[in-house]
Amino acid sequence: MSQTKERWKRVAAIVLAAMLCLGLACVASGCSSKKKADADGNVTFVDSVGREVKVPANVEYVIPSGHTATQVLLTLCPEKLASVSSELSDDILKYIGVDSLKGLPVTGAAFGSKGDLNKETVAGLASGKTKVLVDTGEVKDGIKEDLDQLQEQLGIPCVFIETKLEDYGNAYTKLGELLGCEDRAKTLSNYCSKAYQTVSDAMKKVGDSKKNVAYIVGTDGVNAIAKGSYQGGVVDMVANNVVVVENASGKGTGNPIDLEQLANWNPEVILFQAGGLYDQVGNAAGWQTLSAIQNGQYYEVPNTPYCWMNNPPTVNQVMGMQWLPRLLYPDKFSDSIADVTKSYYKTFYNYNLSDDEVKALIEKANVK
């Protein structure tokens, strides 16, 4: 009887060791996060709105549905992009530094006010290669039906990944799983989650002492980003957004306002979008009546390679989310705006900013 028990113990030990080795090998190869592919080489991916989409187990190329997706994918896997939504400026290419991006087809945006996606071009991209179209951003009514229809028209898997200010970490994790770049996604995910937590903790210390802020956009100063809008996520998180209107616009152009309204709101701090009125308000009679202008508490939002606050509201907000509270409440942080700027650009663009470059970036966006 004892010999039988010993024999079974040895068998059990061998089986356990084999299972352990198999598990370790699987983890090392990354297969722990992969589902078994079907006969066509596809797996089922569940996107952020619950759609089950058959996607290639190995995605070679990715097509952005529009501007927000382009920006996210440029930080994650620029080498896999088959197209971009709009032409990349030299400013953007300088920071991304990936030669394959030059000359990529410009395919427009599937959704939004323009809805100018060149479907014929998209359908023909990366012929013979495995590919997927990725849409990112805010969950909107009808998104499931819109993506199902687009997928049928293009003959390409189309998935949606929600990108929220408080949860960019999860967005990158899902994209990493989809596109087979888990290591890079983990780096970005960890950064986003840590940055959000750091700011959240600081805002608890600020408590009810949030500053009243208005964010002015456009070239004539009569539009602002309203409280509660998707574009205003950063301001709403770290300040009292004084721009309260009945129907907050989700567009980058914000809501129309006038100087009289702005004076009634009386913000302590005014932010201007790049290319706006920042350089003019100091000498403009109408603007000089505002206390924020009188006190020098007005700033221009950096815009390189993308606007830190919005337009479109995507992962560039992770930089804005760190910049704005350090501008408003510098004593609540152990690091500076310059510190986080260098860290962000290194992490997201693999670009090492020089001290002079940092100075130029935040010249109009730092404590005066």
Side-chain angles (χ1 to χ4, degrees), residues 43-47 51-55 132 148 151 157-159:
V43 296
T44 300
F45 180 82
V46 181
D47 71 7
R51 296 169 59 253
E52 295 186 353
V53 183
K54 289 284 188 181
V55 302
V132 62
D148 287 342
Q151 184 168 282
C158 298
V159 304

Side-chain angles (χ1 to χ4, degrees), residues 179-357:
L179 302 174
C181 43
E182 288 92 341
D183 289 345
R184 173 63 176 159
K186 184 177 181 181
T187 296
L188 294 168
S189 175
N190 288 345
Y191 182 100
C192 291
S193 298
K194 183 179 178 182
Y196 186 83
Q197 190 60 55
T198 297
V199 173
S200 296
D201 290 343
M203 294 314 301
K204 290 176 184 176
K205 298 175 186 176
V206 173
D208 295 330
S209 301
K210 287 183 178 179
K211 292 194 175 181
N212 296 326
V213 173
Y215 178 24
I216 308 300
V217 296
T219 58
D220 51 13
V222 292
N223 283 70
I225 299 299
K227 184 176 182 178
S229 69
Y230 194 62
Q231 299 273 346
V234 172
V235 179
D236 291 356
M237 179 185 180
V238 304
N240 288 323
N241 188 345
V242 300
V243 183
V244 179
V245 298
E246 275 193 30
N247 297 303
S249 172
K251 297 179 181 179
T253 51
N255 286 82
I257 63 165
D258 56 41
L259 269 177
E260 184 178 353
Q261 283 179 305
L262 192 59
N264 288 335
W265 286 323
N266 193 28
E268 298 170 79
V269 176
I270 298 177
L271 309 176
F272 290 95
Q273 194 174 54
L277 298 181
Y278 173 86
D279 291 323
Q280 303 171 39
V281 293
N283 298 314
W287 287 88
Q288 286 180 336
T289 63
L290 301 173
S291 59
I293 306 301
Q294 293 172 3
N295 298 328
Q297 297 298 298
Y298 62 98
Y299 306 89
E300 185 176 82
V301 180
N303 196 49
T304 304
Y306 293 104
C307 176
W308 286 6
M309 295 287 283
N310 69 319
N311 201 29
T314 183
V315 292
N316 42 314
Q317 288 185 307
V318 176
M319 183 60 234
M321 175 185 69
Q322 297 181 90
W323 159 66
L324 186 54
R326 285 171 174 81
L327 175 70
L328 301 176
Y329 326 104
D331 61 317
K332 298 296 188 289
F333 296 90
S334 60
D335 53 6
S336 67
I337 291 173
D339 293 333
V340 294
T341 302
K342 283 187 175 182
S343 173
Y344 178 89
Y345 279 66
K346 175 61 178 176
T347 304
F348 281 75
Y349 304 125
N350 197 30
Y351 188 91
N352 291 306
L353 286 168
S354 68
D355 290 340
D356 286 343
E357 286 175 317

Side-chain angles (χ1 to χ4, degrees), residues 70-127:
T70 294
Q71 287 183 226
V72 175
L73 295 168
L74 281 172
T75 65
L76 178 65
C77 53
E79 71 286 348
K80 286 195 173 191
L81 280 168
S83 68
V84 289
S85 59
S86 58
E87 188 174 355
L88 300 180
S89 67
D90 289 340
D91 241 2
I92 296 170
L93 291 169
K94 166 190 170 181
Y95 289 106
I96 307 300
V98 177
D99 289 341
S100 62
L101 295 173
K102 297 176 182 178
L104 280 180
V106 174
T107 46
F111 309 115
S113 57
K114 287 187 177 180
D116 59 353
L117 186 74
N118 189 325
K119 295 176 183 177
E120 184 177 352
T121 298
V122 168
L125 289 172
S127 179

Side-chain angles (χ1 to χ4, degrees), residues 45-49 72 76 136-137 139 160-178 182 185-194 196 315 318:
F45 180 82
V46 181
D47 71 7
S48 296
V49 287
V72 175
L76 178 65
T136 67
V139 176
F160 174 76
I161 304 296
E162 186 177 18
T163 50
K164 298 187 293 186
L165 189 60
E166 67 270 27
D167 204 16
Y168 278 115
N170 185 56
Y172 273 117
T173 298
K174 287 185 74 70
L175 282 168
E177 175 191 346
L178 171 68
E182 288 92 341
K186 184 177 181 181
T187 296
L188 294 168
S189 175
N190 288 345
Y191 182 100
C192 291
S193 298
K194 183 179 178 182
Y196 186 83
V315 292
V318 176

